[in-house]
């Protein structure tokens, strides 16, 4: 079992002017958001999304805490932009400002659907949890 797991945090978004396919150099929090360094330690694993308003990349990454130049190592699993001929290719970012933020990508999410319809039950401390779909866990007390 790996000693690291992906860490989720809310309202983490920084700007970057990184170009190409290198690690994203983080330049500070967007207004109303926190920087990665406020919630993440060196080498923590994160789910991320990056956009420049035209292109995007979503993936898992590793936060690197560096004096004055924090970075995000990128491992995309969905991308659209220059250089990204496959979903798993890194976007080769053009000149301009990008938003880099923590995300919880749909293919990696797991949740209960209790309250959405009578077919989904509220989880309890005992019983049986089972998959109702690729992302939804349901519950049966029997």
């Amino acid at each position: 079992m790996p000693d690291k797991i992906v860490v989720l945090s809310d309202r983490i978004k920084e700007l970057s002017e990184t170009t190409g396919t290198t690690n994203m150099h983080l330049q500070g929090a967007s207004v109303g958001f926190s920087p990665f360094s406020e919630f993440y330690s060196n080498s923590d694993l994160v789910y991320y999304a990056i956009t420049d308003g035209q292109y995007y990349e979503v993936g898992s990454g590793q936060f690197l805490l560096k004096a004055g130049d924090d970075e995000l190592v990128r491992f995309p699993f969905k991308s659209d932009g220059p250089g990204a001929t496959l979903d798993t290719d890194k976007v080769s970012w053009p000149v301009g400002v990008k938003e880099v933020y923590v995300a919880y990508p749909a293919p990696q999410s797991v949740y209960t659907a209790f309250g959405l319809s009578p077919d989904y039950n509220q989880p309890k401390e005992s019983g049986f949890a089972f998959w109702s779909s690729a992302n939804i866990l349901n519950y049966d007390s029997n």
Side-chain angles (χ1 to χ4, degrees):
M1 173 179 266
D3 60 344
K4 292 280 193 173
I5 61 169
V6 172
V7 179
L8 296 174
S9 294
D10 295 325
R11 300 197 54 78
I12 308 299
K13 181 166 66 170
E14 294 201 43
L15 302 178
S16 178
E17 293 185 50
T18 301
T19 58
T21 59
T22 63
N23 294 347
M24 296 303 288
H25 297 272
L26 305 173
Q27 296 175 285
S30 295
V31 175
F33 293 85
S34 297
F36 281 76
S37 62
E38 194 169 304
F39 290 89
Y40 294 97
S41 299
N42 187 55
S43 297
D44 276 351
L45 303 178
V46 302
Y47 288 131
Y48 72 88
I50 304 168
T51 186
D52 65 357
Q54 181 176 3
Y55 306 119
Y56 71 88
E57 187 177 291
V58 179
S60 61
Q62 185 176 34
F63 174 68
L64 300 178
L65 186 59
K66 296 186 173 186
D69 192 22
D70 297 342
E71 294 181 5
L72 180 69
V73 180
R74 304 153 47 199
F75 305 101
F77 41 76
K78 183 74 174 162
S79 58
D80 180 43
T85 55
L86 301 172
D87 280 348
T88 56
D89 288 340
K90 292 179 181 177
V91 170
S92 182
W93 292 104
V95 172
V97 176
K98 292 83 173 164
E99 295 176 318
V100 182
Y101 52 96
V102 173
Y104 189 31
Q108 279 64 35
S109 66
V110 176
Y111 49 90
T112 68
F114 171 68
L116 296 179
S117 85
D119 297 330
Y120 298 105
N121 300 308
Q122 182 175 12
K124 306 286 183 192
E125 287 186 27
S126 63
F128 181 71
F130 60 93
W131 292 104
S132 287
S133 75
N135 299 83
I136 297 174
L137 283 176
N138 202 348
Y139 167 81
D140 188 331
S141 61
N142 297 318

